[in-house]
């Protein structure tokens, strides 16, 4: 971090990571999208990666500050045995963790914590294993606060925008829709899931970020699409980190399990 070699990054991303089956199931279109990510979507090699995952919830913002390699956390249950053998041993990014902490504190987030033990949860390692299979780029994770709102997470993103100048790739990893109780092995897509997903796309590509911050009151079917907000808040961080008037683009779209959207977005910063 801070080396003369930093090539600024001009985009942030929100990846819908769907089911943990993404790690092994070749029938999922999102798997192929992520495997082509560094050839087709974002060809620059970042200095380090900051992932905001919907699978790490804390009451106050927390970064994992790991010296050495990140552990692989298997935070899913009842899946095929081979998934528990997968490893993604990317180096930790302690310098990035410290920068995240300093940027948040200087933007008025007074209580920011460091976790020196926690590795990468599947919201981080499953997509990264497909996007950057070499596991040679340092990775740091930042938690979400489910008792806070979208604006809180958007402001976290805004505070972290300077990291892009240091060559940091900021990735929010969640899900455009996330009602696990509604998942079915049936064809077709639930109308409420389609309605929310379409609203999200229209709002993002038309730059209505304030509406997305207030999705609970603005979006159709918000409560059924996201009974809990943990998998949407990573989107707010990526959106905030992209800066003023950022341009959003839908870069992948597919469905699985009747109600699980894999909609993924790129936010391109507008150069001043």
């Amino acid at each position: 971090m801070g080396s003369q070699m930093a090539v600024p990054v001009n985009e942030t991303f929100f990846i819908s990571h769907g089911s943990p089956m993404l790690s092994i199931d070749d029938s999922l279109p999102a798997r192929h999208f992520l495997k082509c990510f560094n050839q087709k979507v974002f060809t620059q090699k970042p200095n380090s990666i900051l992932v905001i995952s919907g699978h790490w919830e804390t009451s106050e913002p927390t970064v994992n500050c790991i010296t050495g390699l990140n552990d692989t956390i298997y935070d899913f249950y009842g899946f095929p045995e081979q998934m528990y053998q997968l490893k993604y041993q990317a180096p930790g990014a302690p310098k990035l963790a410290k920068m995240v902490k300093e940027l948040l504190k200087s933007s008025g987030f007074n209580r920011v914590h460091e976790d020196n033990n926690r590795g990468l949860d599947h919201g981080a390692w499953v997509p990264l294993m497909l996007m950057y299979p070499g596991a040679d780029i340092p990775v740091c994770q930042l938690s979400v606060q489910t008792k806070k709102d979208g604006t809180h997470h958007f402001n976290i993103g805004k505070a972290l925008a300077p990291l892009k100048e240091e060559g940091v790739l900021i990735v929010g990893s969640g899900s455009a829709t996330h009602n696990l109780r509604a998942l079915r092995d049936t064809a077709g897509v639930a109308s409420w899931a389609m309605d929310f997903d379409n609203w999200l796309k229209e709002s993002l590509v038309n730059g209505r970020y304030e509406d997305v911050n207030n999705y609970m009151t603005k979006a159709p079917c918000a409560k059924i699409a996201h009974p809990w907000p943990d998998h949407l808040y990573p989107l707010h961080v990526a959106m905030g980190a992209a800066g003023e008037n950022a341009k959003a683009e839908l870069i992948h779209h597919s469905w699985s399990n009747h109600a699980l959207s894999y909609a993924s977005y790129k936010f391109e910063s507008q150069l001043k």
Side-chain angles (χ1 to χ4, degrees), residues 128-148:
L128 287 179
M129 192 175 71
L130 302 172
M131 293 158 75
Y132 295 104
D136 56 346
I137 303 171
V139 182
C140 169
Q141 265 197 247
L142 174 65
S143 65
V144 295
Q145 289 73 63
T146 43
K147 294 200 163 59
K148 306 277 190 185

Side-chain angles (χ1 to χ4, degrees), residues 154 176 194-222 232 235-236 239 245-250 263 265-267:
F154 184 81
M194 192 94 77
D195 288 349
F196 182 87
D197 191 67
N198 281 335
W199 175 88
L200 187 62
K201 180 182 73 181
E202 292 301 317
S203 301
L204 289 172
V205 299
N206 290 298
R208 295 197 290 270
Y209 302 142
E210 197 52 36
D211 284 359
V212 178
N213 283 344
N214 297 299
Y215 77 96
M216 278 305 293
T217 53
K218 299 281 187 183
C221 313
L232 200 59
L235 169 82
H236 294 95
M239 192 164 80
N245 308 315
K247 199 102 188 72
E249 182 190 336
L250 180 70
Y265 292 90
K266 172 173 83 172
F267 296 94

Side-chain angles (χ1 to χ4, degrees), residues 7-69:
V7 178
V9 169
N10 201 40
E11 295 98 2
T12 66
F13 293 90
F14 172 71
I15 304 293
S16 285
H17 63 245
S19 158
M21 289 298 289
L22 191 63
S23 61
I24 59 166
D25 184 353
D26 266 331
S27 74
L28 291 170
R31 181 172 161 87
H32 302 284
F33 156 68
L34 290 171
K35 282 178 113 168
C36 295
F37 184 85
N38 70 15
Q39 292 101 44
K40 291 189 177 166
V41 181
F42 183 73
T43 54
Q44 180 181 337
K45 186 171 182 180
N47 277 6
S48 53
I49 302 171
L50 176 65
V51 180
I52 301 89
S53 163
H55 289 282
W56 189 15
E57 301 173 43
T58 59
S59 56
E60 293 168 330
T62 307
V63 283
N64 78 330
C65 188
I66 301 296
T67 310
L69 300 179

Side-chain angles (χ1 to χ4, degrees), residues 221-239:
C221 313
K223 194 63 185 162
I224 185 171
H226 288 277
W228 288 272
D230 47 275
H231 272 59
L232 200 59
Y233 285 164
L235 169 82
H236 294 95
V237 180
M239 192 164 80

